Amino acid sequence: MADVPLSEETKRRVALLFSGRDLQEATDLLVRECGTNLPFLEMLNAEQLERFRFAALKVSDGSLEKLMNALVMAQTDWRDLLMAAGFGHDLGAHLKWEPTPPRHD
């Protein structure tokens, strides 16, 4: 099973939430841990994976630790991740979500 790269929209959202070394780590985690390795998503492409990857990003709120927790949730049952992100009842909800960069006070 090959790793599916991030779509352009996913890359854009990752860059809004993460910077520096965390940006590369978040990108690598999404490619490695939130792709066709998820149950029943083996045949999806980068755009079809956006719903799941956006959900992980939304739940992460710009934190690598929260992103890793979201990815564990996705691997256990990605439906729980979709619900946690508020994407569970609307197939297009993820497209309406626009992250805001985290504040570092």
Side-chain angles (χ1 to χ4, degrees):
M1 201 173 331
D3 289 337
V4 177
L6 301 184
S7 69
E8 290 305 313
E9 277 302 309
T10 306
K11 288 178 191 176
R12 188 178 69 76
R13 284 168 170 80
V14 173
L16 286 170
L17 290 168
F18 296 93
S19 61
R21 200 174 308 156
D22 288 353
L23 174 61
Q24 187 59 53
E25 180 72 16
T27 298
D28 292 345
L29 283 167
L30 286 170
V31 169
R32 221 176 34 247
E33 306 296 335
C34 192
T36 55
N37 61 315
L38 297 177
F40 308 110
L41 306 184
E42 296 86 1
M43 304 303 291
L44 300 187
N45 64 31
E47 286 73 25
Q48 293 167 324
L49 288 168
E50 284 179 346
R51 185 174 183 218
F52 310 95
R53 289 172 168 174
F54 289 10
L57 288 170
K58 184 176 181 186
V59 170
S60 82
D61 198 29
S63 159
L64 280 178
E65 182 178 348
K66 289 180 183 177
L67 179 60
M68 287 186 262
N69 291 337
L71 297 175
V72 168
M73 186 186 310
Q75 292 164 1
T76 303
D77 190 334
W78 47 257
R79 296 170 299 181
D80 291 337
L81 176 62
L82 293 177
M83 294 302 287
F87 299 164
H89 296 291
D90 178 355
L91 292 176
H94 67 289
L95 299 172
K96 300 170 196 154
W97 172 69
E98 190 66 34
T100 54
R103 292 180 41 181
H104 300 287
D105 295 334

